[in-house]
Amino acid sequence: MDSIMQSQIFFFISSIGFIILWVLIAILLIYILRAFNKLLKILDKVEREIDSIGDLTKETIDDIRDSNIFRFLFGKSKKKKSAASKK
C-alpha cells in the first residue's frame, strides 16, 4: 500500500471515531441536562416545603407563647408598642 492509501484509511477510521465520540458526548449531555432539570424540580419542591414548615413553626411558637404554662414559667410576654400609640 502506498502512503496516500494509508492516510485515506487513517482519516476514514478517525472520522468514524470522532463521529462516535460526539454521539456519545451528546447522549451524555442529554442525560446530564435531564438530571439537572430533575434536581431543579426537587429543589423547588423542597423550598416550598421549607416555607410551609417555617409557617407551621411560627404558628407553633405563637401557640406555645400563648399557653398558660409558658406564661406561668416565663411571665407575660411584652407587647411591642406600635408607632401609632407613641404619637
Side-chain angles (χ1 to χ4, degrees):
M1 271 202 237
D2 60 340
S3 62
I4 293 179
M5 185 66 145
Q6 287 177 348
S7 66
Q8 287 179 349
I9 292 172
F10 170 77
F11 286 118
F12 178 75
I13 292 173
S14 63
S15 297
I16 298 295
F18 279 115
I19 290 171
I20 291 172
L21 178 69
W22 283 109
V23 168
L24 291 175
I25 288 173
I27 292 171
L28 180 67
L29 285 174
I30 289 171
Y31 279 113
I32 289 173
L33 290 175
R34 283 184 181 175
F36 186 70
N37 191 18
K38 287 182 182 184
L39 180 65
L40 288 177
K41 287 180 182 179
I42 291 170
L43 288 176
D44 289 339
K45 191 172 186 179
V46 166
E47 186 177 340
R48 284 192 307 264
E49 292 297 322
I50 286 175
D51 289 341
S52 67
I53 289 172
D55 294 341
L56 180 64
T57 304
K58 288 177 186 176
E59 291 173 5
T60 305
I61 289 173
D62 289 340
D63 290 342
I64 290 172
R65 285 184 179 163
D66 291 339
S67 71
N68 291 329
I69 296 172
F70 185 84
R71 280 188 270 149
F72 175 74
L73 292 174
F74 299 105
K76 290 186 178 183
S77 62
K78 297 178 182 179
K79 302 283 181 177
K80 292 182 180 179
K81 294 183 181 181
S82 63
S85 65
K86 288 183 179 180
K87 291 182 180 180

